[in-house]
Amino acid sequence: MAVNEIIDRLTQELAGRNPNLSVNKARTWVELLWSDFESTYAKAGYDYRGAEYTERIIKQWIESYGDKIHEFVSRNPKYAHFLEDDDESLH
């Protein structure tokens, strides 16, 4: 399965779990989580385990934190510019 299809599916799951997020914001969150996970994993020296592995991790995060993920911005302003109130597509 293509990465874009996986991201689309994860976006729908996050948007469904968190009524505070539009689909565009949910996609931005998924893309940020995906990118942060893969870069952190690589920096730690681990071998790339594929999109399916990253999908499983992001899915676990959505299940655990998806309903309150929008609260993260208030504690971590470095991400605020990605998730401003403007609901334009950010990717």
Side-chain angles (χ1 to χ4, degrees):
M1 178 171 291
V3 171
N4 280 335
E5 291 174 8
I6 295 170
I7 288 176
D8 287 345
R9 192 172 56 243
L10 291 170
T11 296
Q12 293 303 316
E13 185 171 338
L14 179 56
R17 283 188 176 270
N18 191 325
N20 295 294
L21 299 177
S22 67
V23 172
N24 286 337
K25 291 263 185 342
R27 183 172 183 96
T28 299
W29 270 113
V30 169
E31 289 173 348
L32 286 171
L33 292 170
W34 190 284
S35 148
D36 281 354
F37 174 74
E38 287 197 337
S39 66
T40 301
Y41 203 74
K43 286 177 189 174
Y46 294 109
D47 291 334
Y48 182 65
R49 295 180 64 179
E52 293 79 17
Y53 182 74
T54 302
E55 176 186 16
R56 281 197 312 270
I57 299 299
I58 303 304
K59 189 174 180 92
Q60 288 174 354
W61 291 346
I62 289 170
E63 290 170 359
S64 297
Y65 310 110
D67 61 333
K68 54 192 163 290
I69 199 165
H70 61 285
E71 297 171 4
F72 179 80
V73 173
S74 66
R75 293 186 303 269
N76 296 282
K78 92 175 194 180
Y79 292 103
H81 69 283
F82 290 114
L83 298 155
E84 294 171 348
D85 287 335
D86 181 13
D87 220 2
E88 299 281 325
S89 179
L90 301 174
H91 42 103

